[in-house]
Amino acid sequence: MSVLPAAPVGPLRLAPMQRLTLGGRWRTEAMRSYRMPVLYWFTRGQGRITVAGLTRGYGAHNAVYVPPRTMHGFDVSTQVYGTAVFFNDSEALELADEAFHLRIRDARKQGEITGILENLQREIDDDRPMKGRAISHYGGLLAVWLDRQRFEAEDKPEDSAARALVRRYTEAIEEQLYTGQSVGDYAENLGVTATHLSRVCNQTCGRPASELLADRLTFEARRLLLDTSLPVKRVAEVLGYNSAAYFTRAFHNRTGQTPTEFRDASQG
């Protein structure tokens, strides 16, 4: 079962990086995924970003592309600036199927993406004839820019068995998020022990397998509490918890609030 919000209107949506943290740092740091591809373009500051179970550092003039339904999260301080681009209608843009990280050191290429994003934002804000067509074309230019930079500026880590296993684990979580499976269940389906799975998760992102799963479930719970009117009992059922009481305890242990308190505080 999948309960996801409807995609925003328009082929692309831009959001300042700082806006993503409104309502709490959990909106960026916690593991989440989107049904559409997203590009994070960092222009100032530094931090760490985790994509598909791999944690890496990011800095100014870094572009991180995340495909649909890919677990990720990143820390954002008050000194981090940039833009998130949500590709709501991405079929015609021929975007990549895998995540990638670009470190753009060439000032001219930095200026190219800055210009594309500024023109995109101008078209989104204005109400001119053929607005949708213009936005789509700028989106195409952005997709071409990304493909070109992958040949020259992609910072691609060496693949390993550990990274491949953790990637498969995060993909399985996304596919079966609403089934109530434990780390042991996921590990068994992946053909490894829970201990081994937790060890490799620690190697690639510094967090055990149980933490990745709990973090992803908590983000989804908060999203459902904010974006839907589902009763707490129904949210627990959707996420595969055996009882609303157990869900409430688990949520409180991770957030310091009950689901009801969190919903009331966010809407108050």
Side-chain angles (χ1 to χ4, degrees):
M1 178 181 182
S2 177
V3 180
L4 292 168
V9 175
L12 287 93
R13 179 168 64 91
L14 275 60
M17 209 67 71
Q18 293 295 320
R19 186 180 299 171
L20 299 183
T21 64
L22 294 177
R25 293 174 65 87
W26 66 267
R27 286 190 178 274
T28 56
E29 292 179 0
M31 294 296 108
R32 94 294 314 285
S33 73
Y34 299 114
R35 66 170 60 202
M36 74 285 288
V38 58
L39 170 68
Y40 298 107
W41 169 241
F42 299 97
T43 56
R44 188 188 306 173
Q46 60 185 359
R48 299 184 69 78
I49 184 166
T50 301
V51 180
L54 177 67
T55 298
R56 311 180 72 196
Y58 70 82
H61 306 121
N62 279 203
V64 180
Y65 171 80
V66 184
R69 305 190 193 296
T70 300
M71 273 179 57
H72 67 285
F74 57 94
D75 56 81
V76 179
S77 72
T78 56
Q79 303 303 313
V80 172
Y81 292 86
T83 302
V85 183
F86 296 89
F87 297 90
N88 301 322
D89 184 8
S90 60
E91 292 185 4
L93 299 182
E94 300 181 10
L95 295 168
D97 295 326
E98 59 182 22
F100 57 83
H101 190 142
L102 307 174
R103 301 185 189 274
I104 309 300
R105 296 179 173 85
D106 188 307
R108 181 174 61 84
K109 293 166 184 175
Q110 295 168 8
E112 287 175 352
I113 186 173
T114 297
I116 293 172
L117 294 179
E118 288 177 349
N119 286 326
L120 261 171
Q121 190 64 66
R122 188 176 300 111
E123 290 292 344
I124 290 170
D125 292 340
D126 292 344
D127 190 19
R128 298 195 289 175
M130 296 177 283
K131 172 178 178 176
R133 183 179 174 187
I135 292 173
S136 295
H137 282 302
Y138 280 120
L141 287 174
L142 180 57
V144 169
W145 184 90
L146 289 171
D147 282 344
R148 284 174 171 169
Q149 304 320 307
R150 290 190 70 185
F151 287 105
E152 302 176 12
E154 181 173 5
D155 186 357
K156 190 171 184 177
E158 183 177 349
D159 210 351
S160 66
R163 184 185 173 201
L165 176 59
V166 176
R167 184 169 57 244
R168 288 168 55 209
Y169 174 53
T170 62
E171 290 171 352
I173 290 176
E174 286 304 312
E175 292 171 0
Q176 303 165 54
L177 185 61
Y178 301 95
T179 62
Q181 292 190 69
S182 66
V183 171
D185 296 326
Y186 284 109
E188 182 178 359
N189 292 334
L190 291 168
V192 298
T193 66
T195 300
H196 178 69
L197 179 60
S198 194
R199 182 165 56 247
V200 296
C201 286
N202 270 315
Q203 289 176 6
T204 62
C205 66
R207 308 169 78 180
S210 58
E211 177 68 17
L212 283 176
L213 177 58
D215 196 32
R216 181 68 183 92
L217 284 169
T218 303
F219 178 89
E220 196 68 6
R222 286 185 283 204
R223 189 191 66 75
L224 290 171
L225 290 167
L226 289 183
D227 296 347
T228 76
S229 58
L230 293 175
V232 171
K233 181 179 180 180
R234 180 60 182 143
V235 172
E237 292 174 352
V238 165
L239 293 176
Y241 286 90
N242 292 326
S243 70
Y246 179 69
F247 166 63
T248 296
R249 287 196 300 273
F251 189 90
H252 185 271
N253 286 340
R254 292 193 64 82
T255 68
Q257 296 175 299
T258 67
T260 300
E261 289 170 346
F262 173 77
R263 175 176 269 170
D264 290 345
S266 300
Q267 295 176 349

